[in-house]
Amino acid sequence: MKTPPQKLIFMCHPIKKAVGGVKVIYRQAELVNQLLQPLGHSAVVLHPNTWRFKVKWFESSVTVERRWFKWRWMGKPSMSRIDGCFDPQQDMVVLPELWARKYGEQLARMGVTYAIYVQNGYYITKGDADTLNAAYAGARCILTISDDGSRCVAMAFPGTESRILRVHYSIDANRFNAHQPKENLITFMPRKLADHSSKVLFFLRNHLPAHWRIQAIDGLNEDGVADLLQRSKIFMSFSHFEGCPLPPLEAALCGNQVIGYTGQGAKEYWDPQVFTEIESGDVIQFAQAVLDKIQALDSLAEFPVFTENIRALSATYSPAQELADMQRFVTAMGLPSQPQ
């Protein structure tokens, strides 16, 4: 009997602001679709309960679906009821870790094959413990975006180790690179740990040399972010309990000296030649490290770009690696695909 067309559905929060995890979901759904289409299958992104939502800060050709879930009252925050919204014979679902508690058990009861995508190992703590245990026990595959995320899942849900699949995102080297001339510019993203960044700026205010300036990266599309990172020399990282933070890595590939917090997940790429780690919360040391770096850079005849280190980072977080990971994921879900 011919296998009916299978659809791999990447569920995604409808977030308008620039969040790296959303871009990763779109990108990887697009790659999986390329692997599945030659054999008559497909992959899409699903923003549930939205009419016209569209991500605008990056470009993507992935198909976006709309499905409406029902609501039920459970004597606590309302939950979406998804019975009838998926076909167990044709649909497979990829749940973000924050939705495992809402939809994992329901998908298992419906007989729908699903995976859980853990982009942040510290978000898996949210929810009722028994509900989470059931959700992770029923998942065919558990994707993790970092080694740190894999450790979090293995610790939280013993017995899942054989179903954990570490995958990588990729960074577009044509967009994030060190080819532009550098300015005496320090950049940072104010969305995470705004209180920490404001304190660091306060302690820098009377010491920053007049020929240096600081600029927040906020409200820009992907090209705008890349342009600022290409021009800046120092990037301040305020990552906090993150799976594998994207901005510090993008900054490094643009030739920045990165100073700040690893958020735990960035430890796997924190090359001391390019990155300076600050203990989370030590804002005085953070400010001093920035001033020390400025002094060191001002003493040099030209700005140093550590090409070999950047090349190694690019190889680890490359399109080729990401595509190979998605091929492994498709296989783990039991789907046939056309190798690229």
Side-chain angles (χ1 to χ4, degrees):
M1 181 180 295
K2 186 177 179 181
T3 303
Q6 302 290 301
K7 181 180 288 185
L8 194 53
I9 301 167
F10 286 74
M11 289 177 61
C12 184
H13 293 80
I15 303 173
K16 291 183 179 180
K17 59 187 176 183
V19 175
V22 172
K23 181 169 71 170
V24 170
I25 288 174
Y26 268 67
R27 159 74 178 172
Q28 294 182 347
E30 198 171 340
L31 288 176
V32 170
N33 190 58
Q34 292 171 13
L35 293 168
L36 294 177
Q37 268 198 328
L39 296 176
H41 309 301
S42 62
V44 300
V45 168
L46 170 62
H47 294 297
N49 302 331
T50 64
W51 281 115
R52 296 184 179 87
F53 175 82
K54 183 179 180 181
V55 174
K56 296 181 179 179
W57 62 276
F58 63 86
E59 296 295 326
S60 175
S61 63
V62 73
T63 297
V64 177
E65 282 201 357
R66 316 288 176 179
R67 299 190 188 190
W68 283 87
F69 299 164
K70 303 171 186 177
W71 292 94
R72 64 182 176 184
W73 180 255
M74 301 178 63
K76 54 184 178 180
S78 56
M79 298 283 284
S80 296
R81 195 176 72 228
I82 60 174
D83 49 295
C85 295
F86 297 99
D87 182 349
Q89 301 303 313
Q90 296 187 347
D91 292 338
M92 294 184 175
V93 177
V94 183
L95 289 175
E97 74 286 276
L98 280 172
W99 280 348
R101 57 182 172 168
K102 293 176 67 174
Y103 303 125
E105 272 190 311
Q106 296 185 70
L107 289 169
R109 288 198 304 270
M110 294 163 56
V112 175
T113 300
Y114 67 95
I116 298 173
Y117 198 163
V118 178
Q119 289 191 307
N120 190 321
Y122 303 98
Y123 287 167
I124 65 176
T125 63
K126 298 179 183 293
D128 174 73
D130 291 338
T131 301
L132 288 170
N133 285 340
Y136 280 82
R140 175 171 290 188
C141 181
I142 303 164
L143 300 173
T144 60
I145 201 64
S146 65
D147 295 337
D148 184 65
S150 297
R151 287 192 294 268
C152 287
V153 173
M155 173 68 79
F157 305 106
T160 61
E161 293 84 355
S162 64
R163 289 178 285 126
I164 295 173
L165 178 60
R166 162 68 201 279
V167 298
H168 298 77
Y169 55 63
S170 66
I171 296 179
D172 183 358
N174 292 321
R175 182 175 276 130
F176 294 92
N177 55 60
H179 297 161
Q180 277 202 48
K182 288 292 186 182
E183 303 172 12
N184 290 332
L185 176 63
I186 301 167
T187 53
F188 73 102
M189 292 190 170
R191 186 172 63 86
K192 291 288 182 75
L193 296 181
D195 183 49
H196 290 229
S197 61
S198 66
K199 285 180 169 57
V200 171
L201 295 178
F202 177 84
F203 289 118
L204 284 172
R205 77 192 195 289
N206 289 329
H207 302 279
L208 193 71
H211 61 288
W212 281 81
R213 63 189 179 91
I214 300 174
Q215 184 169 345
I217 302 176
D218 193 25
L220 300 175
N221 63 15
E222 193 173 31
D223 287 332
V225 172
D227 176 67
L228 271 180
L229 290 177
Q230 286 176 321
R231 291 189 285 115
S232 68
K233 291 182 177 180
I234 296 172
F235 178 80
M236 299 191 297
S237 170
F238 293 97
S239 301
H240 177 65
F241 282 136
E242 297 192 39
C244 192
L246 189 57
L249 188 53
E250 289 175 337
L253 296 187
C254 288
N256 284 266
Q257 291 286 292
V258 179
I259 299 172
Y261 309 156
T262 67
Q264 301 303 314
K267 287 183 176 180
E268 67 180 50
Y269 64 67
W270 210 260
D271 181 343
Q273 191 77 48
V274 179
F275 300 86
T276 300
E277 182 176 356
I278 303 297
E279 181 182 354
S280 185
D282 194 346
V283 292
I284 294 293
Q285 179 56 35
F286 201 133
Q288 187 59 55
V290 171
L291 295 173
D292 291 345
K293 183 64 66 176
I294 288 172
Q295 185 177 26
L297 293 176
D298 280 348
S299 69
L300 300 175
E302 60 181 30
F303 181 75
V305 176
F306 298 98
T307 306
E308 290 302 317
N309 306 75
I310 291 174
R311 186 175 293 122
L313 291 171
S314 294
T316 300
Y317 302 92
S318 68
Q321 179 64 61
E322 185 176 37
L323 181 60
D325 290 343
M326 290 303 101
Q327 179 71 67
R328 291 165 55 226
F329 170 52
V330 167
T331 300
M333 293 297 284
L335 287 171
S337 66
Q338 182 68 44
Q340 300 292 301

